[in-house]
Amino acid sequence: MNTLLRAENITKEYANHRALSDVSIHVPEQSIFGLLGPNGAGKTTLIRIINQIIGPDKGVIYLGGEKLKPKHVQQIGYLPEERGLYKKMKVGEQAVYLAQLKGLKAADAKIILKKWFEKFDLMPWWNKKVEELSKGMAQKIQFIITVLHQPRLLIFDEPFSGFDPINVNLLKEEILKLRENGATIIFSTHNMGSVEELCDHIALINKSEKILEGTVNQIKKDHASRIYETELNNLKTPLHKLLDQRFSIIKEKTQNGLINARIKIVDNSSTNELLQTILPQAELISFREITPSMNDIFIKQVTGKFPIEQNSNGNNQ
Amino acid sequence: MNKTATIIKREFLSRIRKKSFLVMTILGPILMAAIIIIPVIVAQVSDSDYAVAIVDDSNFFYDRFQDTESTSFTPLQTSVDQAIDLMHDGRFDAVLHIPDVAFEAPSTLRLFSDKSINFNVKLLIENTLKHEFESLKLKAAGIDPEILRATETPINIQAFRIKDDGELITDYPEISMGLGFVGGFLIYIFIFLFGSQVLRGVLEEKTSRIVEIIVSSVKPFQLMMGKVIGVGLVGLTQFLIWVVLTFSIVAIFTLAAPDLFRFTPDEQVYISSTQILNAEEMRQQQEIIQQHDSLAGQLLEGLGAVNYPVMILSFIFFFLGGYLLYAAIFAAIGSAVDNEADTQQFMLPVTIPLILSLIMVNMVIQNPTGPVAFWMSMIPITSPVIMMARIPFGVPYSEVLLSAALLILGFIFTIWLSGRIYRTGILMYGKKVSYAELWKWIRHA
């Protein structure tokens, strides 16, 4: 897969603090790239640099192999976290104006806008002032304004904040369609869960530094917890006597005569070996791996510990 | 199309389409024309026919009152009470009672009316009686009033200004002072009016959070300059419409009612002490009329002699220069704060030089070549208002050019400075900004 956007060793310092230190990311073409990290990590700064709103102190950005230049603003669509419109300006006129600033001709912008407005049932609002719109409608218009110049790269900063659930679904559908049509999408959010289902690549940023980057599948594989939840019936030997030092019990409880336990494989043993140890002594009801969420992985990256491990009941051996 | 041009177009159109712009544009010239026209009309039409009955117990002044165009005097041989009854019947508007002792005790004079007394009529009666009483007293003292009157010598010096090429031009300092004041004041109003529109516009973009969407398409500097230029063009348009409309309205009135503007001399309140006007008195009357005529004529001539193209062109230049200088600063202030209330701490130091120059206009028009006038018309932050106040008096080209050059340097500097504050400020939220912080932005931007 080609890389659409390459940020190389970006550093940005403000008067009082360092917002980004030596951050590099590679966004593959036609991917949905999650830029994750807690508030204040430097995500918005990186996005503003990509949008050429501010310049980096150090580092270079390439878009489609070219060094980023002012002309590239036409190829980028940006929905900022803090977003709004001119309240007193008419909806249609405003959308055309913002499209013109992206380099479209007014006549072309109108044709594209009408398609989008019809799709979202917004046509009756074309000549209304923005202040007359509901919040949900204003958000749809902001979304349209972001995508209408058909940019190669779309950047959404906390796109779902403030959207109601219906609009969130609409937005997700449209974003997936845009990708099918060739667009590349960068999502920035501190809410790791919300984009897990959409993203195929992610980068984690914490305290101005990138701490992780890769495909979601690979990262999950790399951060496999090796913790398995199992339900057993008629256990003949207590688990802590049954299991040797290759395994550790994270949690164990008895419910309705069934034993429910989380067992971690400590060394390189396979799940088969674990099952071989257990099966002769009990009837297996269920067995599944606990997969870490992006949130868990992030917390592990930052604190060094998985939250799922910290939930233990003190039954560790 | 160039993106800055797109921004200018939006800023311009969105403002001139507002109702308030239309109202201001129409009301402005009507008000200005009214200031010129209404006094003329009022002076002509306010005096309707006014009938005054005279009851003169002394029988001495009956025939001394002469009817004027708007006031008629009727001597009555009745008592005051009867005359007042007649007035109540509507035959007179007022009754003048001159008691026997009036000459010795003028405070016993009485003027009655069932309406409010017409001020001009009261003045006419007072002037007439004053002259009569004075003449009588002069005669009693053995002085011929004619000799006294012959000694009165009206003085009205014609002032000339000698230009560098030796040409003599008639000088009208009163008119220059008036124009200087109006010019300086207009510049002040325009800078304030349109400068604060820039501030509010920037603040609106910041608080509505549209600014980040826009600066992802254009450079912050383009957005700032687009707004400054767009609003400035609104001001220029408004000014030009005002000039055209004011001249049109005055011209229409002058054509429709030329009599109103012929500046006929005021009604003469001079009544001769004797009934027969001898040749000498006729000559004197004539002289007074001529003098009046030439004063009114001078005013008209003076207004006609004003170099309007120079006035209008210098207004446009100094308005634009001053506006660019201040509007850039206002834009920076708008970008640095989060709401209108926070603008105060930065507005004060910016507006002080403007207000100071308005206060100094009075001093400058009295001494337009003095050191205060000179220096304040050179310093860019005060020069637009002060230079405009000096222009009607005629300022040497070298001084105008120097002032203009300094003003251009001034606004280039403030635009540069404001651009640095602006591009940091528009993306900064929820932070109370201090001067130290602004200085950091300027240095690090």
Side-chain angles (χ1 to χ4, degrees):
Chain A
M1 225 184 232
N2 292 328
T3 301
L4 177 69
L5 181 95
R6 254 191 320 137
E8 301 284 4
N9 311 99
I10 304 294
T11 299
K12 176 76 186 174
E13 271 178 73
Y14 288 118
N16 305 323
H17 72 286
R18 174 172 277 220
L20 290 171
S21 28
D22 208 25
V23 171
S24 301
I25 57 166
H26 295 77
V27 181
E29 189 134 26
Q30 247 184 304
S31 67
I32 297 184
F33 188 96
L35 192 60
L36 312 182
N39 287 327
K43 301 185 301 287
T44 300
T45 303
L46 181 58
I47 286 172
R48 282 178 177 170
I49 290 170
I50 296 171
N51 275 300
Q52 302 178 72
I53 293 170
I54 50 178
D57 296 338
K58 279 182 208 144
V60 199
I61 291 183
Y62 298 92
L63 185 75
E66 277 183 75
K67 215 172 155 184
L68 201 64
K69 284 191 210 77
K71 64 162 187 181
H72 286 121
V73 296
Q74 280 192 50
Q75 300 178 20
I76 302 178
Y78 174 37
L79 186 70
E81 179 179 7
E82 298 283 4
R83 49 192 173 242
L85 297 165
Y86 288 113
K87 290 190 181 68
K88 302 274 177 199
M89 205 172 171
K90 284 177 184 164
V91 175
E93 202 184 329
Q94 180 155 205
V96 172
Y97 171 66
L98 292 169
Q100 278 179 296
L101 292 186
K102 276 286 182 195
L104 258 68
K105 288 202 178 74
D108 298 343
K110 252 180 221 166
I111 294 167
I112 305 170
L113 270 170
K114 288 206 167 132
K115 275 187 207 154
W116 278 103
F117 269 54
E118 268 156 22
K119 190 176 195 175
F120 285 164
D121 292 324
L122 288 166
M123 263 332 268
W125 303 91
W126 184 276
N127 271 322
K128 293 263 169 35
K129 284 183 183 168
V130 169
E131 59 189 353
E132 296 172 59
L133 299 183
S134 72
K135 211 178 164 197
M137 277 190 280
Q139 286 166 340
K140 282 183 192 167
I141 286 159
Q142 282 157 350
F143 174 76
I144 294 171
I145 287 166
T146 312
V147 302
L148 87 114
H149 57 290
Q150 290 154 326
R152 294 170 78 186
L153 177 64
L154 282 160
I155 302 173
F156 297 101
D157 196 354
E158 299 290 356
F160 304 124
S161 72
F163 273 75
D164 60 52
I166 295 166
N167 279 334
V168 167
N169 279 336
L170 191 75
L171 204 67
K172 282 181 182 168
E173 275 171 37
E174 289 302 329
I175 287 167
L176 290 171
K177 269 187 222 165
L178 286 165
R179 184 185 44 176
E180 271 169 41
N181 295 332
T184 306
I185 291 133
I186 296 179
F187 259 125
S188 161
T189 183
H190 65 270
N191 186 354
M192 323 276 167
S194 75
V195 290
E196 226 180 312
E197 49 182 307
L198 286 172
C199 295
D200 31 43
H201 284 70
I202 58 149
L204 273 183
I205 293 184
N206 186 46
K207 288 182 186 156
S208 86
E209 283 174 29
K210 185 187 79 179
I211 51 175
L212 191 64
E213 186 179 1
T215 66
V216 173
N217 288 339
Q218 188 58 47
I219 286 171
K220 285 206 169 174
K221 213 184 263 176
D222 290 349
H223 290 83
S225 63
R226 307 214 81 202
I227 296 172
Y228 299 88
E229 184 163 84
T230 177
E231 265 187 312
L232 305 167
N233 200 6
N234 297 327
L235 185 67
K236 288 166 193 151
T237 315
L239 272 177
H240 64 273
K241 284 191 180 148
L242 182 66
L243 298 172
D244 52 49
Q245 72 279 359
R246 290 177 297 165
F247 313 107
S248 98
I249 301 162
I250 305 283
K251 197 163 81 176
E252 185 180 359
K253 65 181 177 195
T254 310
Q255 214 170 11
N256 305 327
L258 295 178
I259 297 200
N260 184 317
R262 282 186 178 189
I263 300 161
K264 181 171 179 166
I265 303 177
V266 181
D267 66 359
N268 293 328
S269 308
S270 68
T271 46
N272 281 8
E273 285 172 277
L274 172 60
L275 286 173
Q276 277 160 12
T277 314
I278 296 170
L279 284 179
Q281 299 292 323
E283 179 191 342
L284 185 67
I285 307 286
S286 73
F287 186 82
R288 69 179 180 92
E289 186 178 8
I290 305 240
T291 48
S293 66
M294 270 338 285
N295 202 39
D296 296 332
I297 294 171
F298 175 73
I299 291 171
K300 184 179 181 207
Q301 282 294 317
V302 176
T303 64
K305 268 187 180 165
F306 262 133
I308 31 178
E309 289 178 73
Q310 288 171 326
N311 266 348
S312 68
N313 288 344
N315 284 347
N316 292 8
Q317 270 189 324
Chain B
M1 202 187 350
N2 181 322
K3 287 175 184 178
T4 312
T6 308
I7 295 169
I8 292 172
K9 196 175 136 203
R10 192 202 84 89
E11 297 293 338
F12 181 77
L13 289 179
S14 71
R15 283 184 171 78
I16 61 164
R17 274 199 231 130
K18 275 187 190 164
K19 282 195 194 82
S20 55
F21 177 83
L22 194 71
V23 171
M24 280 288 284
T25 305
I26 293 171
L27 275 187
I30 289 178
L31 280 177
M32 282 197 276
I35 291 169
I36 301 171
I37 293 165
I38 285 178
V40 179
I41 296 175
V42 166
Q44 307 274 329
V45 298
S46 67
D47 293 347
S48 52
D49 279 353
Y50 203 84
V52 182
I54 302 169
V55 178
D56 183 6
D57 297 344
S58 68
N59 272 322
F60 202 79
F61 301 101
Y62 270 130
D63 48 0
R64 301 301 157 101
F65 291 91
Q66 287 192 338
D67 291 355
T68 66
E69 265 177 41
S70 54
T71 316
S72 63
F73 294 98
T74 313
L76 286 184
Q77 300 294 344
T78 60
S79 71
V80 178
D81 291 339
Q82 281 169 317
I84 287 172
D85 284 341
L86 286 171
M87 179 180 74
H88 286 323
D89 292 344
R91 296 201 26 209
F92 299 104
D93 294 301
V95 173
L96 172 67
H97 181 221
I98 306 170
D100 278 335
V101 294
F103 185 66
E104 290 80 20
S107 61
T108 58
L109 287 163
R110 292 289 184 268
L111 185 62
F112 304 99
S113 176
D114 42 13
K115 294 180 289 249
S116 171
I117 300 269
N118 182 313
F119 176 75
N120 286 326
V121 171
K122 182 168 173 272
L123 211 64
L124 178 66
I125 293 169
E126 281 171 355
N127 279 332
T128 307
L129 285 172
K130 184 169 174 271
H131 276 279
E132 293 305 323
F133 285 13
E134 277 171 8
S135 295
L136 284 173
K137 282 182 181 169
L138 285 171
K139 264 185 191 156
I143 299 164
D144 185 350
E146 276 179 38
I147 294 173
L148 190 74
R149 213 144 277 164
T151 62
E152 282 175 9
T153 319
I155 306 277
N156 179 31
I157 299 181
Q158 272 221 292
F160 290 96
R161 189 163 75 235
I162 305 170
K163 283 176 66 177
D164 294 340
D165 55 8
E167 191 197 337
L168 281 184
I169 37 172
T170 322
D171 204 13
Y172 307 97
E174 297 84 357
I175 286 167
S176 300
M177 281 171 81
L179 283 176
F181 184 80
V182 171
F185 188 71
L186 267 185
I187 292 255
Y188 168 86
I189 292 279
F190 266 63
I191 289 177
F192 245 111
L193 213 63
F194 294 100
S196 58
Q197 277 198 30
V198 169
L199 190 152
R200 275 201 301 276
V202 171
L203 207 51
E204 183 207 347
E205 275 164 2
K206 199 181 169 186
T207 51
S208 73
R209 314 276 169 142
I210 195 176
V211 69
E212 191 153 356
I213 294 177
I214 296 177
V215 295
S216 72
S217 306
V218 303
K219 288 204 176 72
F221 189 72
Q222 286 178 302
L223 177 60
M224 183 180 99
M225 284 318 287
K227 184 173 290 292
V228 167
I229 294 170
V231 174
L233 287 179
V234 174
L236 202 61
T237 309
Q238 185 141 60
F239 173 73
L240 291 179
I241 295 175
W242 280 5
V243 169
V244 171
L245 281 186
T246 305
F247 278 108
S248 311
I249 293 173
V250 173
I252 287 166
F253 266 81
T254 323
L255 286 176
D259 291 348
L260 285 182
F261 291 85
R262 204 173 280 148
F263 281 89
T264 46
D266 292 344
E267 285 173 33
Q268 294 303 302
V269 201
Y270 265 100
I271 308 298
S272 61
S273 54
T274 54
Q275 267 182 296
I276 315 129
L277 287 169
N278 59 32
E280 171 63 12
E281 273 179 320
M282 285 285 277
R283 201 190 54 74
Q284 277 184 13
Q285 285 276 60
Q286 212 61 41
E287 215 171 63
I288 291 160
I289 289 167
Q290 267 175 6
Q291 186 198 325
H292 261 270
D293 217 4
S294 67
L295 237 161
Q298 266 183 33
L299 201 76
L300 263 188
E301 208 185 309
L303 278 172
V306 171
N307 194 339
Y308 287 103
V310 164
M311 282 290 293
I312 290 169
L313 285 179
S314 19
F315 183 90
I316 290 173
F317 176 82
F318 282 99
F319 160 61
L320 284 183
Y323 164 79
L324 284 174
L325 185 139
Y326 278 100
I329 300 176
F330 282 132
I333 294 174
S335 74
V337 298
D338 282 349
N339 55 64
E340 201 137 5
D342 289 344
T343 59
Q344 295 308 321
Q345 59 158 332
F346 299 114
M347 282 296 278
L348 192 67
V350 176
T351 51
I352 279 176
L354 259 185
I355 292 168
L356 182 73
S357 43
L358 185 69
I359 293 167
M360 296 308 279
V361 160
N362 250 324
M363 203 172 141
V364 166
I365 57 176
Q366 289 182 37
N367 187 6
T369 52
V372 172
F374 175 79
W375 286 110
M376 285 188 83
S377 63
M378 289 299 141
I379 300 167
I381 49 172
T382 54
S383 69
V385 173
I386 299 297
M387 192 46 111
M388 206 53 224
R390 286 184 65 195
I391 291 276
F393 297 93
V395 182
Y397 286 128
S398 56
E399 281 184 32
V400 177
L401 287 178
L402 180 60
S403 165
L406 288 172
L407 184 57
I408 291 170
L409 287 180
F411 73 64
I412 290 173
F413 173 73
T414 60
I415 287 171
W416 171 83
L417 194 75
S418 299
R420 294 176 85 84
I421 296 176
Y422 182 85
R423 66 180 177 202
T424 307
I426 46 169
L427 298 172
M428 202 70 82
Y429 290 101
K431 201 170 182 183
K432 191 109 177 156
V433 176
S434 63
Y435 283 103
E437 187 75 28
L438 284 187
W439 178 237
K440 261 188 211 160
W441 294 0
I442 292 169
R443 275 178 37 219
H444 289 284

